[in-house]
Amino acid sequence: MEIESGKKMTPIIPGIASAIIWGLGQLMNKQYIKAIFFFLFQLILVIVEIATGNYFTGSYVIRENGGFFVKGIWGLITLGTIPRKMSLTGVTDGDHSIMLLVKGIIVMLVALIFVAIYAWNIRDAYKTCKSFNEKCTRLSTRAYVEELWESMFHYIILIPAALLLMFLSIMPIIFSALTAFTNYTKTNMPPTHLVDWVGFKNFMNLINIPVWSKTFAGVFSWTLIWAVVATFTCFAFGLIQAVILNSKRIKFKKLWRGIYILPWAIPGMVSLLVFRTMFNGQFGPVSQFLLDMGITSERVAWFSDPNNPNLARITLLVINLWLGFPYFMALMTGIMTGISSDLYEAAKIDGASPLDEFKKITLPIVLNQAAPLIIMSFASNFNNFNVIYFLTDGGPTNVNYQFAGATDILITWVYKLTLDNQLYNMASVMSILIFILIGSISIWNLRRTKGFKED
């Protein structure tokens, strides 16, 4: 720390100076290394823009002369102005809207980093001058770095992971969200066509066009029923099995736990494909067994009967129960193992029955501990693509739906809209709605759990 005397300066002056030329305020505050540090970022910004552009020609057109940042922002706003065309020699030069959109998002994220450094540069110049006016002291560069490391250590360590997350996770999410506001479909496919911004038109189509609104209402209703029932049945059956296995009357507990855990240990996709073969309506062994035993007069189309879609839905729930209950059984077993035996002994002294012990001791403790995981399971079932896709592929068909079947949930519908029908804009609309629904329901439920309130 340096103690100096001299004429005081209004803090806003170095702040404005750093706003014009990065590091100039630090230079006025006599912090030369910090001044060079911040100025280098502005220099990098200018060099990158000039080096990637074409600014030394007689005329200037953003599309032709803009650099990394300028042309990136232009591409994000316009999505291109000249489409490519097919010719005898191949595709002509032109704009690719999706590439411009991706590049624009990258530019905005990089620009956001520079904006953060720019704001830090101005704030540092202002605060340093203000501190000097009040205390007549100024931190040396080394002391400033040491203080910054101590006070911001956790954030500094998180910066590499945050940057990686920004470009590997956040960027695709932003791209998907922005696609919902375009007309990006198979009939308007780059590079021979340009994609345009259409605002909230796709969202309005989902409400105003009957076939879209009816499909969304039907698929969403089944998705909600599926998520609730699938989560509740797996939790309830897993809890029952855990209570039974936790009973002192059960012998060979490890053996039974090992048997019950097998459905969870086997890869889910393998189990689903096996069940799909078993319940095949044409040659599946289940239908053949029922036919041989005289229980049915013809083969049962478990997954493909358009006149009985509820059969496919019930079968899905039963198979999901078989695959999902071991997780909750293992979870509940672990929780119940940690419950003090003194509670049960005290309850017995008070004359409580086994049912009373379960209702007053076991169940409240289990729910308190498992509530966040139950909510996570609900969110997982809401987007349980594998079970629906590998068993029924969304079938049986529903003539009243747009590109969806009777057992399709929102995520499988999005898959069909994207890969099968290339309606990328409507698929993005669905993705945004799924995010809002799952996020809202999960936050609302988590805030109501006792464990969340205690934290």
Side-chain angles (χ1 to χ4, degrees):
M1 182 177 294
E2 300 176 1
I3 301 176
E4 301 179 8
S5 60
K7 186 177 180 181
K8 295 181 179 180
M9 181 169 44
T10 305
I12 198 171
I13 295 177
I16 294 174
S18 285
I20 299 172
I21 300 177
W22 300 17
L24 183 58
Q26 284 75 12
L27 187 65
M28 297 173 68
N29 289 329
K30 299 181 180 180
Q31 294 182 317
Y32 305 111
I33 296 179
K34 286 168 67 176
I36 295 172
F37 173 78
F38 286 115
F39 178 72
L40 282 176
F41 279 99
Q42 186 178 27
L43 187 63
I44 291 171
L45 187 68
V46 174
I47 290 175
V48 168
E49 177 62 26
I50 293 176
T52 55
N54 190 13
Y55 285 89
F56 303 102
T57 59
S59 60
Y60 179 79
V61 179
I62 292 179
R63 183 182 178 278
E64 302 293 337
N65 306 94
F68 176 75
F69 291 99
V70 173
K71 190 172 181 179
I73 296 173
W74 169 85
L76 185 62
I77 294 173
T78 64
L79 297 182
T81 55
I82 301 176
R84 299 180 184 180
K85 296 180 180 180
M86 294 298 299
S87 65
L88 296 176
T89 57
V91 182
T92 61
D93 292 333
D95 299 325
H96 193 298
S97 297
I98 300 305
M99 293 296 102
L100 290 175
L101 178 59
V102 173
K103 183 180 178 181
I105 295 171
I106 294 174
V107 167
M108 293 303 296
L109 292 177
V110 173
L112 188 63
I113 297 173
F114 278 96
V115 168
I117 297 173
Y118 177 66
W120 175 25
N121 150 66
I122 297 173
R123 184 172 178 269
D124 176 78
Y126 177 85
K127 287 188 66 176
T128 300
C129 184
K130 184 179 179 181
S131 176
F132 178 77
N133 290 342
E134 294 173 353
K135 304 175 183 178
C136 293
T137 59
R138 184 181 290 114
L139 288 175
S140 64
T141 301
R142 181 175 180 178
Y144 174 79
V145 172
E146 290 176 352
E147 182 183 280
L148 185 67
W149 180 258
E150 291 179 2
S151 60
M152 305 291 289
F153 172 77
H154 299 87
Y155 296 101
I156 295 172
I157 294 298
L158 288 174
I159 286 175
L163 292 175
L164 196 64
L165 181 69
M166 179 183 291
F167 289 100
L168 294 183
S169 297
I170 296 179
M171 190 189 77
I173 293 173
I174 295 174
F175 173 79
S176 178
L178 292 179
T179 304
F181 300 93
T182 68
N183 60 349
Y184 185 26
T185 65
K186 62 181 178 181
T187 59
N188 196 46
M189 188 75 66
T192 56
H193 294 83
L194 291 177
V195 175
D196 298 315
W197 295 109
V198 295
F200 290 91
K201 181 180 178 181
N202 296 320
F203 293 87
M204 298 306 299
N205 288 341
L206 189 63
I207 299 172
N208 297 330
I209 299 178
V211 67
W212 282 111
S213 59
K214 188 173 183 178
T215 305
F216 177 76
V219 173
F220 173 71
S221 300
W222 162 238
T223 304
L224 194 59
I225 294 171
W226 158 262
V228 172
V229 177
T231 303
F232 175 76
T233 53
C234 290
F235 168 75
F237 193 65
L239 178 60
I240 292 171
Q241 294 300 319
V243 170
I244 295 174
L245 290 175
N246 204 46
S247 174
K248 295 180 180 179
R249 300 179 181 179
I250 299 296
K251 305 298 182 181
F252 309 110
K253 292 183 180 181
K254 292 182 179 179
L255 175 63
W256 289 110
R257 287 196 185 105
I259 293 173
Y260 285 146
I261 211 71
L262 283 176
W264 190 33
I266 298 173
M269 188 181 72
V270 174
S271 298
L272 292 171
L273 294 177
V274 170
F275 276 114
R276 181 169 182 168
T277 302
M278 290 176 60
F279 284 91
N280 187 282
Q282 294 180 347
F283 53 82
V286 175
S287 294
Q288 184 64 46
F289 174 78
L290 295 177
L291 189 63
D292 293 342
M293 296 297 294
I295 298 175
T296 60
S297 59
E298 58 183 10
R299 289 183 175 274
V300 179
W302 299 95
F303 298 136
S304 57
D305 186 358
N307 298 318
N308 193 9
N310 289 329
L311 177 62
R313 292 169 176 170
I314 294 172
T315 307
L316 281 171
L317 290 169
V318 172
I319 294 174
N320 183 75
L321 173 61
W322 165 256
L323 297 172
F325 88 88
Y327 167 76
F328 281 105
M329 183 195 70
L331 177 65
M332 304 307 159
T333 301
I335 294 175
M336 285 188 286
T337 303
I339 300 176
S340 175
S341 58
D342 295 340
L343 294 174
Y344 293 104
E345 292 177 3
K348 290 177 180 178
I349 294 173
D350 291 338
S353 65
L355 182 60
D356 291 330
E357 292 178 6
F358 175 77
K359 287 167 41 178
K360 302 296 183 180
I361 300 176
T362 306
L363 187 59
I365 293 176
V366 165
L367 286 176
N368 181 46
Q369 297 294 324
L373 295 174
I374 295 172
I375 295 169
M376 289 176 61
S377 180
F378 170 83
S380 177
N381 281 318
F382 202 93
N383 289 321
N384 198 337
F385 175 86
N386 290 347
V387 173
I388 304 297
Y389 181 77
F390 288 114
L391 283 178
T392 67
D393 195 19
T397 57
N398 190 323
V399 294
N400 297 317
Y401 284 0
Q402 181 84 329
F403 309 121
T407 59
D408 267 317
I409 58 176
L410 289 174
I411 190 66
T412 58
W413 188 27
V414 169
Y415 178 84
K416 289 181 178 180
L417 289 174
T418 304
L419 294 185
D420 295 345
N421 301 283
Q422 296 179 320
L423 296 173
Y424 302 105
N425 53 351
M426 296 305 298
S428 296
V429 170
M430 296 299 115
S431 300
I432 292 174
L433 294 178
I434 291 173
F435 173 78
I436 294 173
L437 290 168
I438 288 292
S440 302
I441 294 172
S442 299
I443 292 173
W444 182 77
N445 279 285
L446 280 173
R447 291 177 63 88
R448 289 169 60 87
T449 60
K450 187 176 180 180
F452 182 87
K453 293 178 182 178
E454 289 177 355
D455 290 341

